[in-house]
Amino acid sequence: MVPFFKLTLAVPSLLVILAYHSPASTVQSALEGVWKVVEVSFTEPDTTGTISNPQASLYIFTKRHYSIMTVVGSEPRALFADPSQPTDAEMLAAYGSFVANSGTYVTTDSTLETHPIVARNPNFMAGESAAFTYRVSGDSLWLTSTEEDPVVEIRRTLLRIE
């Protein structure tokens, strides 16, 4: 018979080990890291396309927080003629093609939902969230988002860089 005090030590230890190796922990740990977008595909009502050489991006996932910064499109952003005094047109072109938001995230099955705390777009900070279907395999992450009105599906392929 196992002495009672040994049993009282073994059971909590076993629960901690099981909790640490639960499927939810495994899914989140697979997301944790630093990623960059290596391809973007999209489907719109009248067209489809692929950007094989997307511009700079950085997606960072920790245990509970995320940060996304990315330049949209396949062309580099134009530099300001005068960096200390960009024109309205220069700012619109530069900032309109830039996505930045950070906050918390949750995962369920194959869904990733981000909840921004800070974002370039102030409306995105007003209680909105973004949902993606996702899949992780090795050093690759696939994120798919669907927007409505009109329906647009965007599929991003990311590569782990750290």
Side-chain angles (χ1 to χ4, degrees), residues 133-155:
T133 57
Y134 79 99
R135 182 170 60 93
V136 178
S137 179
D139 286 340
S140 296
L141 166 63
W142 293 270
L143 294 173
T144 302
S145 60
T146 303
E147 299 174 11
E148 297 178 7
D149 196 23
V151 175
V152 176
E153 182 179 88
I154 303 170
R155 296 168 303 282

Side-chain angles (χ1 to χ4, degrees), residues 36-42 49-55 57 59 73 141-143 154-159:
K36 72 174 185 176
V37 177
V38 294
E39 184 175 89
V40 178
S41 300
F42 58 91
T50 299
I51 299 171
S52 299
N53 188 21
Q55 292 302 296
S57 64
Y59 284 56
L141 166 63
W142 293 270
L143 294 173
I154 303 170
R155 296 168 303 282
R156 296 168 187 87
T157 303
L158 294 87
L159 178 66

Side-chain angles (χ1 to χ4, degrees), residues 33-103:
V34 182
W35 307 82
K36 72 174 185 176
V37 177
V38 294
E39 184 175 89
V40 178
S41 300
F42 58 91
T43 303
E44 298 177 348
D46 297 333
T47 187
T48 61
T50 299
I51 299 171
S52 299
N53 188 21
Q55 292 302 296
S57 64
L58 201 58
Y59 284 56
I60 301 171
F61 291 96
T62 67
K63 287 186 188 297
R64 290 181 296 274
H65 292 86
Y66 79 94
S67 183
I68 295 172
M69 299 185 85
T70 187
V71 176
V72 179
S74 58
E75 298 297 321
R77 296 184 299 164
L79 298 177
F80 298 146
D82 179 352
S84 63
Q85 293 184 349
T87 66
D88 289 345
E90 288 174 325
M91 286 190 294
L92 182 61
Y95 303 141
S97 63
F98 183 67
V99 173
N101 60 89
S102 300

Side-chain angles (χ1 to χ4, degrees), residues 20 24-25 27-29 31-33 60-66 103-107:
Y20 181 75
S25 296
V27 169
Q28 281 195 320
S29 66
L31 271 176
E32 287 179 40
I60 301 171
F61 291 96
T62 67
K63 287 186 188 297
R64 290 181 296 274
H65 292 86
Y66 79 94
T104 61
Y105 73 95
V106 294
T107 58

